[in-house]
Amino acid sequence: MRIIFLGTPTFAVPSLKILVDNGYDIAAVITAPDKPAGRGQKLQISEIKKYALENGLNILQPEKLKDEAFLNNVKELHADLQIVVAFRMMPDALWNMPKHGTINLHGSLLPQYRGAAPIQRAVMNGEKVTGVTTFFLKHEIDTGNIIFREEVIIGDDENAGELHDRMMHVGAELILKTVKAVENNSIELKEQSSFVKAGEVLHHAPKIFRDDCRMDFSKSVKHLYNQVRGLAPFPGAFFEIKNENGEPTLIKVFKAEIEEKSVFMTHHLVTDHKTFIRISAADGILSLLEIQWPGKKRMSVQEFLRGHSIDENATIL
């Protein structure tokens, strides 16, 4: 079976690796073009490209997936199947090309959490269970018929980054299982609607924007705790404080914990200037554990307080 693999970030690497390790013929790896990044604006290559280079795989990096020359190049590879893991939207002409179609790995139990940020959104919403799904692509995003699903339990204190790192390996095993089923012609497709229970509400997983990261301390402390977990380690939840000089300071929060019921007013910050920073929410206290001050590295609150001060009278915006 000749396979074309499409992916870009770290999440996709184990899925490509497991196919290579199991002897599949990878006709090409399609990934994003190199992009300038950092202070020096040096070209950075994707994690998938790094792996492909290390393993001598054929690499394609089209600027436009609808480019006729690129599509002709793909057609000449005569692939039997395409695998998509964490890639961008594809035109019909590309995903319809292989005789066995194109399979996508998605980081949720579809039809729950369709969209670009399923892992982060599941943690932000306080879910206890998520998973990975393989399905055949069709025109509407994340709506194709399901091949397999695999559940993954979300730890009570687990953040999105930790969950991501576990799920990418579970997903790789599911990709291998799916490809073998295609080979053996043993796939039994199921409509996504068949997995929806009576009365179940479907959640969506749109891209994370800045407003999703802003902490609102008029919300419940559980909401804020899950927001911190769901946005760690990137892009990070944040709030702003305004000191007497009127200048706002943005503070990112990467780790926190819930403490006893609030005994001081909402939106109020308390610190001993040595070991803790606590902020009162609508129904409890959020104790900050790891933060990042502007221009500084991420650090524990204790480490921060050893070298910096924070004004208890500052207004939380």
Side-chain angles (χ1 to χ4, degrees):
M1 173 131 17
R2 281 175 64 77
I3 297 173
I4 291 176
F5 188 94
L6 301 94
T8 296
T10 304
F11 190 82
V13 174
S15 293
L16 176 56
K17 183 178 185 300
I18 204 168
L19 295 174
V20 172
D21 290 348
N22 280 271
Y24 285 97
D25 179 10
I26 307 300
V29 173
I30 301 175
T31 190
D34 302 344
K35 293 183 179 179
R39 291 182 180 178
Q41 289 293 287
K42 293 182 179 179
L43 285 179
Q44 301 292 316
I45 66 175
S46 70
E47 293 300 317
I48 277 291
K49 183 175 179 180
K50 289 178 185 177
Y51 177 84
L53 286 171
E54 291 167 359
N55 290 271
L57 302 176
N58 179 28
I59 301 169
L60 301 177
Q61 294 179 274
E63 289 286 346
K64 296 181 179 179
L65 297 178
K66 292 183 179 180
D67 180 76
E68 190 173 340
F70 162 69
L71 291 173
N72 286 335
N73 194 357
V74 173
K75 190 173 183 179
E76 290 170 2
L77 294 172
H78 302 291
D80 301 302
L81 179 69
Q82 289 180 157
I83 303 291
V84 180
V85 182
F87 197 60
R88 61 191 195 264
M89 284 186 63
M90 297 166 58
D92 294 9
L94 181 56
W95 59 260
N96 266 327
M97 199 175 292
K99 66 179 180 181
H100 289 299
T102 297
I103 289 168
N104 188 203
L105 173 71
H106 188 73
S108 77
L109 295 174
L110 290 174
Q112 285 286 8
Y113 292 99
R114 293 171 177 157
I119 297 175
Q120 290 164 306
R121 294 287 182 183
V123 177
M124 290 171 72
N125 286 345
E127 301 287 1
K128 300 297 184 182
V129 179
T130 184
V132 287
T133 303
T134 53
F135 65 98
F136 279 107
L137 280 187
K138 62 186 228 181
H139 186 71
E140 295 81 11
I141 295 175
D142 297 335
T143 60
N145 291 335
I146 289 175
I147 307 169
F148 296 120
R149 302 197 313 169
E150 185 76 26
E151 286 192 357
V152 175
I153 303 298
I154 303 175
D156 291 340
D157 301 323
E158 192 170 28
N159 68 31
E162 295 162 343
L163 180 60
H164 166 282
D165 291 351
R166 288 199 299 119
M167 286 177 62
M168 68 182 182
H169 294 290
V170 177
E173 294 290 342
L174 198 65
I175 282 290
L176 181 61
K177 178 181 177 181
T178 301
V179 172
K180 287 181 176 179
V182 172
E183 276 189 306
N184 299 331
N185 196 28
S186 59
I187 285 178
E188 296 182 10
L189 296 176
K190 295 182 179 180
E191 293 280 346
Q192 291 196 19
S193 59
S194 68
F195 291 93
V196 181
K197 300 174 183 177
E200 182 178 6
V201 176
L202 293 182
H203 299 283
H204 295 282
K207 182 180 177 180
I208 301 295
F209 292 98
R210 180 179 172 84
D211 283 348
D212 297 309
C213 303
R214 183 181 292 277
M215 302 172 72
D216 179 357
F217 288 92
S218 65
K219 299 284 183 70
S220 73
V221 70
K222 188 69 173 179
H223 171 91
L224 294 164
Y225 174 70
N226 290 334
Q227 183 182 19
V228 170
R229 292 168 56 224
L231 296 170
F234 181 83
F238 73 88
F239 65 96
E240 291 180 291
I241 60 173
K242 185 166 67 174
N243 295 316
E244 292 179 357
N245 61 15
E247 289 294 324
T249 300
L250 186 149
I251 302 170
K252 284 193 173 185
V253 183
F254 296 98
K255 191 174 182 180
E257 64 182 5
I258 297 172
E259 295 206 355
E260 73 278 359
K261 187 173 177 62
S262 177
V263 293
F264 52 88
M265 61 184 178
T266 302
H267 275 72
H268 190 67
L269 183 150
V270 172
T271 179
D272 64 354
H273 302 287
K274 293 180 180 180
T275 61
F276 67 80
I277 298 173
R278 296 169 180 156
I279 302 177
S280 180
D283 59 355
I285 295 174
L286 191 72
S287 180
L288 311 187
L289 300 180
E290 290 184 18
I291 63 173
Q292 185 175 23
W293 201 258
K296 305 294 181 181
K297 66 177 184 178
R298 173 179 170 176
M299 64 185 80
S300 69
V301 162
Q302 291 85 352
E303 184 181 2
F304 169 78
L305 290 173
R306 281 198 294 268
H308 306 81
S309 62
I310 188 167
D311 183 3
E312 285 187 278
N313 296 316
T315 302
I316 299 175
L317 301 178

